[in-house]
Amino acid sequence: SRTLYLALFRHMQFMARRGCWRTAFEVNKVLLSLDPVMDPYGALLTLDFHALKSRQYEYVGQFVRDWTWSSVDLPNWAYSRALAAFMEGSAAQSRELLVEAILEFPTVVPVLWSKANVGVDDVVLTHPYFQDEVVPDASALTHMQLVVQLFVERHTPLYRTPEVARWMQEGLLLALERIAVDAAPRSKHEAQKRLCTYVIPENISRHVLVADLETLKAGLPEDIRTAESFAFDPLPPRDDVNVYREIMGGERGGLMPGTFEIDGEVYGLEDFEGEGGEGLLQQMMNFLRVRVGGGAADVDDPGTSSDEAEQ
């Protein structure tokens, strides 16, 4: 099933690069529906973006209302809900939603406002409320920093129009007024407590790896950067069960990569070269049949005819 997840994610990427936003949006929904709880490829990190690009503004608001947990730890949904309301023409409601997003995820402000070229005084962007509450580690990003960077890297083009820029300025001024009244709103405290940790969920780490965001890969924890990962199976789950690895001796500890054990003898891929390679391959297939319970080693291949067997 992991192959299916990866195929859908790559197809979604391909459709987005071609500008087929509605198709990318529908594929994104399918990807999330396969496992909405674990979300192994971080489909929630892209669904709101594809919905906005395909102009499914009502869907964004409805999704947050139906899946209230979607915006709890993800700044992209908090800000996208506000932007969707603005695009629908609900000026007052969208400003209020934007203020809520700013108060819940304040560290987005200096990054997004600067990258979107929104005209705001630097003094505002350096306000203590908009800064991280932890001492940053130069070798890795916190959970909060990573989801913020993911959101900004992907969504910034949506915020670069003059109309949206003015709306962002208005929302920021309203947020600053509330911050002045209450210097430490409860929302920020809760968000920082949840996300200011260097423990990054596996699905978000996998999302960074497959989303081709090179600038963020270096910010992943060291155990993720050094973990076993493949192009066809990025960041396999820690509880992965691979019967072939056990059968071929991959868990025995003393074997080098590219080697395997058959009846106590260790072979390498180079042993398949030359005239003896065909016999060794047949020996390995027979060995696998016995180990996986597929029958005795001398059982003929069911796909081989009697004439072929005699030859």
Side-chain angles (χ1 to χ4, degrees), residues 5-306:
Y5 281 101
L6 180 59
L8 286 172
F9 192 94
R10 292 301 187 196
H11 183 57
M12 180 184 70
Q13 283 182 310
F14 180 71
M15 291 294 100
R17 289 168 183 168
R18 295 287 299 271
C20 302
W21 297 112
R22 184 57 188 267
T23 303
F25 169 61
E26 297 297 339
V27 174
N28 203 155
K29 289 197 296 184
V30 172
L31 181 61
L32 178 62
S33 69
L34 294 178
D35 190 348
V37 177
M38 300 302 295
D39 190 15
Y41 274 81
L44 274 176
L45 297 170
T46 56
L47 183 59
D48 61 306
F49 174 74
H50 291 138
L52 291 172
K53 291 294 288 185
S54 58
R55 301 182 181 181
Q56 303 301 305
Y57 307 126
E58 184 179 353
Y59 176 88
V60 176
Q62 187 65 42
F63 186 90
V64 175
R65 287 191 292 271
D66 293 343
W67 294 34
T68 53
W69 52 267
S70 64
S71 60
V72 171
D73 291 337
L74 296 175
N76 55 306
W77 280 100
Y79 282 85
S80 291
R81 177 178 60 165
L83 181 59
F86 173 75
M87 299 304 292
E88 286 186 303
S90 304
Q93 180 189 13
S94 65
R95 278 195 298 270
E96 180 61 29
L97 292 175
L98 179 59
V99 170
E100 292 179 9
I102 292 173
L103 296 179
E104 182 70 21
F105 300 99
T107 54
V108 170
V109 172
V111 186
L112 179 60
W113 266 247
S114 298
K115 197 157 187 175
N117 298 320
V118 179
V120 178
D121 195 302
D122 291 341
V123 176
V124 175
L125 298 182
T126 57
H127 191 286
Y129 187 80
F130 301 135
Q131 310 307 311
D132 288 311
E133 292 190 349
V134 297
V135 177
D137 181 356
S139 63
L141 298 174
T142 64
H143 187 175
M144 172 72 81
Q145 291 168 335
L146 185 58
V147 293
V148 167
Q149 291 291 341
L150 277 169
F151 163 60
V152 173
E153 286 290 329
R154 182 173 286 120
H155 291 66
T156 294
L158 299 173
Y159 294 85
R160 282 182 172 157
T161 63
E163 297 79 12
V164 174
R166 285 193 296 270
W167 168 73
M168 293 171 70
Q169 290 174 325
E170 295 171 0
L172 182 57
L173 290 176
L174 290 174
L176 286 170
E177 292 177 2
R178 297 192 187 180
I179 293 171
V181 174
D182 185 357
R186 181 182 177 187
S187 57
K188 183 190 179 185
H189 174 73
E190 293 178 348
Q192 294 290 338
K193 184 177 180 180
R194 286 196 309 270
L195 301 181
C196 285
T197 171
Y198 287 99
V199 179
I200 307 299
E202 191 175 76
N203 65 329
I204 294 181
S205 299
R206 185 180 295 109
H207 178 90
V208 173
L209 294 177
V210 298
D212 301 325
L213 299 172
E214 299 296 333
T215 57
L216 298 183
K217 289 181 181 180
L220 293 174
E222 184 178 0
D223 61 325
I224 297 296
R225 298 197 304 267
T226 59
E228 184 181 55
S229 186
F230 310 95
F232 61 87
D233 189 10
L235 200 62
R238 301 179 189 277
D239 58 352
D240 178 33
V241 177
N242 191 329
V243 295
Y244 295 103
R245 181 183 302 166
E246 180 181 354
I247 290 170
M248 302 309 293
E251 300 292 336
R252 297 178 68 88
L255 299 181
M256 297 292 291
T259 64
F260 51 91
E261 182 178 333
I262 299 179
D263 293 335
E265 295 291 333
V266 177
Y267 297 92
L269 297 178
E270 66 277 1
D271 294 316
F272 287 96
E273 300 176 358
E275 297 180 357
E278 183 177 352
L280 181 59
L281 181 61
Q282 184 61 47
Q283 182 183 357
M284 183 178 70
M285 295 301 297
N286 291 338
F287 176 76
L288 286 173
R289 289 194 185 100
V290 175
R291 292 294 296 271
V292 301
D298 58 350
V299 176
D300 291 335
D301 188 339
T304 303
S305 66
S306 58

